Amino acid sequence: QVELAESGGGLVQAGDSLRLSCAANGRTYSSIAMGWFRQAPGKEREFVAAISLSGDTSSYADSAKGRFTISRDKGKNRVYLQMNSLKPEDTAIYYCTTTPSSFGVVAAAKFDQRAFEYWGQGTQVTVAS
């Protein structure tokens, strides 16, 4: 069992940056692969980024490549999402997620949300144009 709590969302202008943080609280090996999804009103939850337990492997949605960076502090069991050059279309609730499955398993599932088991409450990111 893992509990997740996101923070760092807010209202920013287009072109600004935000750094999201997610703290995971659970058994040592209950949280292996971690990631971020987002969901805008009227849209499906979509994959943003994921990272392996060691932090040496990561993957990004095309919309995030070159602008967002996922990182992980294993010692603190926290994952971050640095978001630069934010656009209005980035406006969404951002959810932190994790699973006891490996990054390889999650990647094999093409980072479908069903591959992840635990979810945070979400943090709102609003980008004004």
Side-chain angles (χ1 to χ4, degrees):
Q1 186 67 243
V2 178
E3 294 182 351
L4 302 166
E6 306 96 334
S7 62
L11 172 63
V12 298
Q13 300 295 314
D16 285 352
S17 298
L18 279 175
R19 181 177 172 86
L20 306 184
S21 178
C22 172
N25 187 357
R27 295 196 306 274
T28 301
Y29 297 106
S30 294
S31 179
I32 306 301
M34 298 189 73
W36 292 92
F37 283 70
R38 68 186 184 187
Q39 187 169 23
K43 296 186 178 295
E44 296 293 322
R45 186 174 297 181
E46 65 175 352
F47 170 74
V48 177
I51 191 167
S52 64
L53 175 64
S54 66
D56 61 358
T57 308
S58 60
S59 185
Y60 298 90
D62 288 342
S63 61
K65 290 179 181 177
R67 298 189 299 124
F68 295 1
T69 302
I70 188 170
S71 60
R72 183 170 186 166
D73 182 352
K74 187 179 179 181
K76 295 289 194 297
N77 205 15
R78 300 180 75 94
V79 64
Y80 306 90
L81 186 68
Q82 178 67 44
M83 304 186 294
N84 298 328
S85 302
L86 284 163
K87 305 174 181 179
E89 50 262 46
D90 295 318
T91 296
I93 300 175
Y94 283 71
Y95 296 93
C96 178
T97 184
T98 191
T99 175
S101 298
S102 70
F103 183 88
V105 170
V106 172
K110 299 181 179 180
F111 304 102
D112 188 278
Q113 63 179 314
R114 292 171 294 182
F116 294 88
E117 184 169 347
Y118 305 105
W119 298 85
Q121 294 291 317
T123 185
Q124 178 70 49
V125 172
T126 303
V127 184
S129 61

